[in-house]
Amino acid sequence: MGGEMRSPVTNPKRVTILGSTGSIGCSTLDIIAHNPDSFVVEALTAFTNVNLLAQQARRYRPSYVAIGDETLKGKLTDALAGTNIKVGSGAEAIIEAAEQPSDLVMAAIVGAAGLKPTLQAVRRGITVALANKECLVCAGSLFLREVETAGATLLPVDSEHNAIFQVFDFERSDAVEKIILTASGGPFRTMGKSDMEKVTPEQAVKHPTWDMGAKISIDSATLMNKGLEMIEADYLFPIVESQIEVLVHPQSVIHSMVAYRDGSVLAQLGSPDMRTPIAYTLGWPNRMDTPSPRLDLAEIGQLSFEPPDTERFPALKLARQALQSGGTAPTILNAANEMAVEGFLTKRIGFLDIARVVEATLCKVQGEKVENLEHVHVVDEDARDAAAHIIARI
C-alpha cells in the first residue's frame, strides 16, 4: 500500500514464519507487505507447497527456506537459483528454520508436526506468536515450562485467545469469574443429525464466516476446534476448567469475552479476519495498521448467541472430558482427531464418524501422566495407530 500506512523504524523486526504457505502464513506475509519498513523476513517453511514457497521466497528474500518433503528439495533449489537463499529439506530443516536469528517466530504449522520446531523457537527466548493449538493441547505443561525456562514471550494468535489476551487482567486474575470462548457454530449449526450423516468434505470446508485451511475448517464444523481451544485456554490463562464457557455466536464479531466478579463482561470485537490478531502479535506491545475490513456494527444490525448443542456436536463434550482427565488424554484426543479428519477428507469415513473415532480411541488408549516430550510422541503414535484401526473397521 501507500507510504501513508508505514511507520519507518531504524530496526525492523526480523520474522520467521513456520508454515508460510498456509492460511495464517499467507496472512502474516500480507501484513508484512503492508508494513515493509517494519519487518524483515528471516526464514520461511512449508511442507509440500513448493511452488508457493518459492514464490514467497523470491518476493520476501529470506535468508533461509525449508521444505518438509525431502523429495521436493531439488525443485525448490532450482526455483531459487541465483537468489543466494539457503535451502533445506526434511524435519530437521524445519527445526533449523526456527533457529534462524529472528526476533519473532510465527508458529503456524498445523497439527502435532509443529511441536518440535515451535519448541526450538521458544528455547531461543524470543517472542513466539502461537497459531498452533497442538503445542499446548499435546504438551501444555512441558511447553510452558520451556517458555518459562527460556524467558520467551508467548502471544496467542487464535482469534479467541488473542481476544481474551487483550481484555484479561493478568495482574488481578482472581477478579475473573470466567472466560467465554465464542464459536461460529460452523456450516452445520442448524442441520439435523440425519442430514449431517450425509455431509461431504466439500460442504464441510465451506466455513460461513472465516477463510481457513481444510483441517481447521473441518474442526470448526465439528466444533472440535472449540474443544481444542478450551484445552489451550486452560494453559494460556490463570483459570481452571470450570471457568471456561463456550457460546455459539454465528456472526463471529465478538471473538471472546472475559466475565469479572463485579458483573462486568469485557469483549474484543472485530471483523472475522485473521489479519487482526496476527497484526496484534506482530506489533505487540504496540498496535499497527492492517488492511483488515473495519467493523460496522450498524450494518451488521444484530448479534445473536446460543448454547452449543453437544448432542449434535459431541466433539466439544469429548474435549472437555479430556481436559478434565488431564495427563495424556488431550494428546490422545488430538491425535485421534487428526486421523479422523484425514479419514473424512479422503472420504473413508463420514462426518459424524469423526467424533465416533475420537471417542473410541479415548476408550482404547489409556491416559497417563505426561513424563517428557518423548513420552508425548509415543502416546501420539499409539493413539494414531489405534485411530487408524478404528477407521479401517468403519
Side-chain angles (χ1 to χ4, degrees), residues 25 36 38 73 76 248:
S38 300
K73 183 179 182 181
L76 183 58
V248 174

Side-chain angles (χ1 to χ4, degrees), residues 27-358:
S27 292
T28 303
L29 287 172
D30 184 53
I31 293 166
I32 289 172
H34 281 81
N35 296 270
D37 298 324
S38 300
F39 302 98
V40 171
V41 176
E42 187 66 35
L44 299 173
T45 81
F47 184 58
T48 57
N49 197 340
V50 66
N51 293 329
L52 181 55
L53 180 61
Q55 183 183 323
Q56 292 173 339
R58 283 193 164 273
R59 179 173 180 184
Y60 295 95
R61 295 299 170 124
S63 300
Y64 184 83
V65 295
I67 188 82
D69 186 337
E70 294 183 5
T71 65
L72 296 171
K73 183 179 182 181
K75 188 173 182 180
L76 183 58
T77 302
D78 291 344
L80 297 179
T83 63
N84 294 321
I85 298 171
K86 185 180 176 185
V87 174
S89 66
E92 291 303 314
I94 304 292
I95 293 172
E96 187 177 345
E99 294 170 342
Q100 298 304 303
S102 58
D103 304 304
L104 179 144
V105 169
M106 176 62 67
I109 296 174
V110 175
L115 181 55
K116 281 188 177 180
T118 305
L119 266 175
Q120 200 62 29
V122 161
R123 287 169 182 148
R124 291 176 45 222
I126 58 162
T127 299
V128 175
L130 188 65
N132 173 294
K133 288 182 176 67
E134 290 75 17
C135 286
L136 291 176
V137 172
C138 296
S141 55
L142 298 174
F143 189 83
L144 291 184
R145 199 179 308 151
E146 294 272 7
V147 170
E148 187 176 353
T149 300
T153 299
L154 193 64
L155 301 175
V157 175
D158 267 356
S159 61
E160 295 81 4
H161 301 113
N162 189 271
I164 293 167
F165 186 86
Q166 292 190 46
V167 296
F168 195 100
D169 190 345
F170 286 93
E171 293 182 6
R172 287 168 287 274
S173 60
D174 60 329
V176 173
E177 191 171 82
K178 63 182 177 180
I179 64 172
I180 304 161
L181 295 167
T182 55
S184 70
F188 313 126
R189 179 175 61 88
T190 60
M191 186 179 282
K193 211 166 183 181
S194 59
D195 289 327
M196 289 168 72
E197 289 277 12
K198 307 166 195 166
V199 159
T200 66
E202 292 76 17
Q203 290 173 300
V205 297
K206 290 181 180 176
H207 195 278
T209 50
W210 291 98
D211 180 16
M212 306 179 292
K215 197 273 182 180
I216 299 173
S217 294
I218 301 301
D219 283 347
S220 180
T222 63
L223 289 194
M224 180 59 86
N225 71 322
K226 217 50 50 179
L228 298 175
E229 285 167 16
M230 283 196 304
I231 298 169
E232 197 176 2
D234 187 65
Y235 287 111
L236 284 171
F237 305 105
I239 52 171
V240 295
E241 174 268 326
S242 60
Q243 290 176 285
I244 306 172
E245 185 178 308
V246 173
L247 190 63
V248 174
H249 167 49
Q251 294 83 12
S252 300
V253 167
I254 296 178
H255 298 304
S256 277
M257 297 172 266
V258 178
Y260 289 88
R261 291 167 58 182
D262 62 1
S264 299
V265 180
L266 301 188
Q268 186 266 343
L269 286 70
S271 297
D273 187 326
M274 280 305 298
R275 289 176 296 183
T276 299
I278 291 169
Y280 181 85
T281 61
L282 287 176
W284 189 87
N286 303 311
R287 292 186 185 267
M288 56 185 285
D289 294 325
T290 75
S292 304
R294 290 340 190 214
L295 184 63
D296 187 336
L297 287 172
E299 184 182 340
I300 292 167
Q302 75 177 55
L303 304 176
S304 59
F305 307 91
E306 61 193 58
D309 184 342
T310 54
E311 293 307 310
R312 286 190 302 124
F313 299 97
L316 197 57
K317 187 164 50 179
L318 293 171
R320 191 175 285 278
Q321 289 169 358
L323 175 55
Q324 291 168 343
S325 299
T328 58
T331 307
I332 298 164
L333 174 97
N334 178 73
N337 181 62
E338 284 191 21
M339 294 295 290
V341 169
E342 183 189 8
F344 172 64
L345 286 170
T346 53
K347 301 187 177 181
R348 288 177 290 145
I349 63 172
F351 180 74
L352 293 182
D353 290 326
I354 296 173
R356 293 169 185 148
V357 168
V358 173

